[in-house]
Amino acid sequence: MVSRVIPVEPFDLVLFGATGDLARRKILPALFHRFQIGQFNTECRIIGSSRSELTAEEFRSQTADAIREFGQDVGTTPEEIAAFTALLDYAAVDARGDAGWEEFQAKLRDDAVRAFYLSVGPSLFTDIARRLSQTGIATPQSRIVLEKPFGHDLASAQALNAALREHFEERQIYRIDHYLGKETVQNLMALRFANSLFEPLWNSSHIDHVQITVAESIGVEGRGEYYDKSGAMRDMVQNHLMQLLCLTAMEPPAKFTPNAVRDEKVKVIEALRPVPQSDIARGQYRGTNGGKKGDSYRDHAGNAASRTESYIALKVEVANWRWAGTPFYLRTGKCLRERVSEIAVYFRDPPHNIFEGSGTVHGNVLVIRLQPDEGITLKTTIKDPGPGGMRLTGANLDMTFADELPESGRPQDAYERLIMDVIRGNQTLFMRGDEVEAAWAWADPIIAGWQETGHPPQPYDSGGSGPDDSLLLIHRDGRRWRGIGT
Ligand code: BG6
């Protein structure tokens, strides 16, 4: 709702990689919607940059196309798009050479917040950061924003952090994990720390286990080259699922400040036990009908011998007082039956059943749904309504945010929130350098483990629910995955 929008200070946002896919699909439409809703005005400017020689007018017109194609359907008018694109400028620069930088510098104002958004390949991060600092284009108040992947392993993440810190202080560095910008991810913190109901039960005495699922229905078409060197562990677990795990498992921070929250997340990562290979299931989609249609992962990746996983499930233990004895099962994969991301917290059964013979007591499950249909559901056991004596049945206490809070309007894309947080100078939803390194320090030995054994991922049917090994991983503990798309 417009009334809830707090305008931000005037800014110059420089978008490197302005003609790239992420800029077109996400960043520029996100900025447009924030403008449309009144969060910033015509005192703000967005300066696109890339190697391509474009005029400002061409960049405006490309951006207008991107908004029409990828923006949300909220009755956008041509006038609104024109008003937004009037804020755009463009400067071609050579990230590794001298060309264009002087003209680019001349476009920046001294009295506006300066933010440099590097929506470029990670191999350019250091060159651009160095150039910004050495030319004085970046001031001590400027912010630098980096897209994932942030490193490929611990050593590369450390090298990148060290290179950035030569030119920027940690308080200026915004490492994006777009999962942190999702509405329900923040709601998880509100649920845990703004309600007195859950936190007393939020430990291994009351919680049997937790399942974190990020299932995608799409494959890696078009991104095969990047993905084949990465796989689900690096692409999703080290960052997105790790963040969900941290927010679920962390201790209450004393304050909702960036470092208080991030300190607690780092402690969770550091408490993770090394994961043995026996607690991991890796899979690779093989297309439909047993792989006959040419739509397998290997086809999409263009690598007929690929051993990269497009699916992974892991049993993870947080070795501390709160969580000892409560496993976290993580799974993520491509080409699964349905797109669904959720955190499901399984509470222990009541210690004693007084209703013997009246039906099953269904253990409480709190499901925090990130997408689709953001919301929270609590599975409970109730009396089956009506006559017939005491019969028990399961029922959901269901709160879908769109139903419950219709006045909050259209769902905000994660990038909208994150970019505005950069301008506001709020780092709470961005990863700190030590946090990223801790996550790699945990992930590296896991990856090295399967590289050593040489075990290929297990094939699974596209459109299904993942490889059989993943079922075994949880069944052998006497537990079951929640259905994907059932
Ligand atoms: C990206 C991954 O970070 O997140 C992609 O690189 C993945 O492989 C995407 O598809 C998922 O994001 P979302 O917001 O669609 O769940």
Side-chain angles (χ1 to χ4, degrees), residues 148 178-179 182 216 223 235-236 240 334 339 371:
K148 74 176 268 251
H178 78 281
Y179 264 59
K182 291 189 190 273
E216 296 185 88
R223 294 174 74 223
D235 185 53
M236 298 294 289
H240 305 325
K334 306 259 184 217
R339 176 175 188 245
Q371 57 200 25

Side-chain angles (χ1 to χ4, degrees), residues 184 188 191 202 341-345 366-370 375-376:
T184 318
L188 177 57
L191 184 80
W202 210 259
S341 299
E342 62 176 33
I343 300 165
V345 179
L366 181 70
V367 181
I368 299 138
R369 231 174 18 252
L370 275 66
I376 295 172

Side-chain angles (χ1 to χ4, degrees), residues 379-448:
K379 190 172 151 202
T380 56
T381 302
I382 59 161
K383 177 190 166 295
D384 205 357
M390 178 56 94
R391 285 172 292 109
L392 300 180
T393 186
N396 283 340
L397 289 178
D398 202 336
M399 190 171 102
T400 299
F401 298 148
D403 299 343
E404 190 69 17
L405 302 165
E407 74 280 8
S408 61
R410 69 172 176 88
Q412 213 184 113
D413 186 78
Y415 279 90
E416 295 183 42
R417 173 173 297 113
L418 294 175
I419 301 170
M420 289 300 106
D421 277 354
V422 172
I423 305 299
R424 282 187 281 250
N426 185 342
Q427 291 182 303
T428 310
L429 300 178
F430 296 83
M431 293 180 298
R432 210 167 55 190
D434 57 341
E435 194 180 343
V436 180
E437 290 181 16
W440 280 122
W442 172 80
D444 274 3
I446 297 176
I447 298 169

Side-chain angles (χ1 to χ4, degrees), residues 27-40:
I27 303 171
L28 291 164
L31 280 161
F32 166 70
H33 286 306
R34 289 290 97 195
F35 173 76
Q36 187 181 39
I37 212 166
Q39 194 149 29
F40 61 87

Side-chain angles (χ1 to χ4, degrees), residues 1-8 34 37-40 412 424:
M1 259 186 353
V2 176
S3 60
R4 290 200 202 152
V5 171
I6 303 169
V8 293
R34 289 290 97 195
I37 212 166
Q39 194 149 29
F40 61 87
Q412 213 184 113
R424 282 187 281 250

Side-chain angles (χ1 to χ4, degrees), residues 127-139 166-168:
D127 289 320
I128 297 179
R130 185 185 311 116
R131 177 73 63 163
L132 290 172
S133 130
Q134 285 173 352
T135 50
I137 295 176
T139 64
E166 281 179 31
H167 309 292
F168 290 87

Side-chain angles (χ1 to χ4, degrees), residues 25-268:
R25 283 175 184 273
K26 293 285 183 186
I27 303 171
L28 291 164
L31 280 161
F32 166 70
H33 286 306
R34 289 290 97 195
F35 173 76
Q36 187 181 39
I37 212 166
Q39 194 149 29
F40 61 87
N41 61 22
T42 50
E43 286 174 61
C44 297
R45 286 193 326 192
I46 296 148
I47 302 158
S49 185
S50 78
R51 242 182 341 193
S52 319
E53 292 290 345
L54 287 184
T55 63
E57 206 35 62
E58 284 165 333
F59 178 54
R60 289 188 191 116
S61 145
Q62 285 187 5
T63 302
D65 289 345
I67 294 168
R68 282 189 286 268
E69 189 172 354
F70 300 112
Q72 292 193 25
D73 184 10
V74 285
T76 296
T77 63
E79 291 74 27
E80 285 173 319
I81 296 182
F84 173 73
T85 56
L87 313 183
L88 305 184
D89 200 348
Y90 184 83
V93 296
D94 177 1
R96 295 207 163 108
D98 295 329
W101 288 94
E102 252 176 59
E103 297 84 329
F104 166 72
Q105 183 161 15
K107 291 184 185 288
L108 298 171
R109 299 168 295 175
D110 288 333
D111 52 352
V113 171
R114 275 187 197 180
F116 302 101
Y117 194 134
L118 275 52
S119 175
V120 295
S123 61
L124 292 177
F125 285 173
T126 314
D127 289 320
I128 297 179
R130 185 185 311 116
R131 177 73 63 163
L132 290 172
S133 130
Q134 285 173 352
T135 50
I137 295 176
T139 64
Q141 280 67 47
S142 298
R143 286 136 214 188
I144 186 163
V145 185
L146 304 143
E147 268 298 334
K148 74 176 268 251
F150 196 89
H152 188 69
D153 54 14
L154 176 60
S156 55
Q158 283 172 328
L160 194 48
N161 274 332
L164 287 170
R165 286 187 191 125
E166 281 179 31
H167 309 292
F168 290 87
E169 290 180 34
E170 183 63 38
R171 65 174 172 80
Q172 299 177 276
I173 306 175
Y174 291 72
R175 297 174 193 79
I176 292 219
D177 182 318
H178 78 281
Y179 264 59
L180 287 176
K182 291 189 190 273
E183 185 70 22
T184 318
V185 172
Q186 291 168 82
N187 232 317
L188 177 57
M189 286 191 274
L191 184 80
R192 286 192 59 194
F193 305 132
N195 294 282
S196 52
L197 196 60
F198 299 107
E199 205 47 32
L201 305 180
W202 210 259
N203 55 54
S204 59
S205 305
H206 300 284
I207 295 179
D208 177 72
H209 73 284
V210 177
Q211 298 184 12
I212 301 181
T213 301
V214 178
E216 296 185 88
S217 50
I218 52 166
V220 300
E221 304 92 314
R223 294 174 74 223
E225 204 189 321
Y226 149 77
Y227 193 91
D228 206 42
K229 293 192 207 85
S230 172
M233 184 70 186
R234 288 189 169 100
D235 185 53
M236 298 294 289
V237 177
Q238 183 271 347
N239 38 72
H240 305 325
L241 277 86
M242 177 63 80
Q243 291 298 327
L244 302 183
L245 167 66
C246 284
L247 295 172
T248 310
M250 74 183 185
E251 295 300 314
K255 294 184 221 137
F256 191 55
T257 56
N259 279 336
V261 171
R262 298 186 300 177
D263 285 346
E264 295 307 334
K265 290 197 291 167
V266 173
K267 286 185 210 162
V268 173

